[in-house]
Amino acid sequence: MRSVGTLTRADLADTVHHKVGLSRADSLTMVESILRLMCDAMAEGENVKISGFGTFLLRDKGERIGRNPKTGVEVPITPRRVLTFRASQMLKDRVSGG
């Protein structure tokens, strides 16, 4: 696979192509389908958990008062939904080299 840089959709599709044996086009279609399903689920308010990898969590943040760090002026920050990622213990162990 690759040594340094960003993991791309093409990299994922290429790995599926080599490991599973699907054609390059079918591999790319599979990767795109998986990512589309994940995005659609999160857009509908569902969390996405990938066993052994981690969980994509949606959180609703309420309205709050923020401060412009340059001028010190207080401004309201509107409520919004944010996406966070919580890595699984297996991923944390692998990244830390354990």
Side-chain angles (χ1 to χ4, degrees):
M1 205 157 120
R2 20 168 234 96
S3 59
V4 180
T6 302
L7 179 66
T8 65
R9 292 173 187 216
D11 294 332
L12 293 171
D14 194 46
T15 300
V16 170
H17 168 69
H18 289 299
K19 300 251 182 187
V20 179
L22 293 175
S23 71
R24 289 185 189 275
D26 288 343
S27 298
L28 186 58
T29 300
M30 179 188 288
V31 169
E32 292 290 339
S33 295
I34 292 168
L35 294 174
R36 188 178 319 106
L37 284 171
M38 290 173 59
C39 290
D40 290 346
M42 288 183 273
E44 292 175 12
E46 298 177 43
N47 295 328
V48 174
K49 180 177 182 175
I50 302 173
S51 181
F53 182 70
T55 306
F56 295 91
L57 298 166
L58 293 167
R59 288 190 321 138
D60 291 319
K61 295 181 97 176
E63 184 173 355
R64 60 190 173 93
I65 299 296
R67 188 181 307 272
N68 181 330
K70 192 171 187 178
T71 63
V73 175
E74 290 185 350
V75 292
I77 299 173
T78 58
R80 63 189 186 273
R81 178 172 280 172
V82 295
L83 176 66
T84 60
F85 176 74
R86 184 176 299 148
S88 72
Q89 192 59 48
M90 284 176 56
L91 179 61
K92 289 178 186 178
D93 292 343
R94 191 161 181 189
V95 168
S96 68

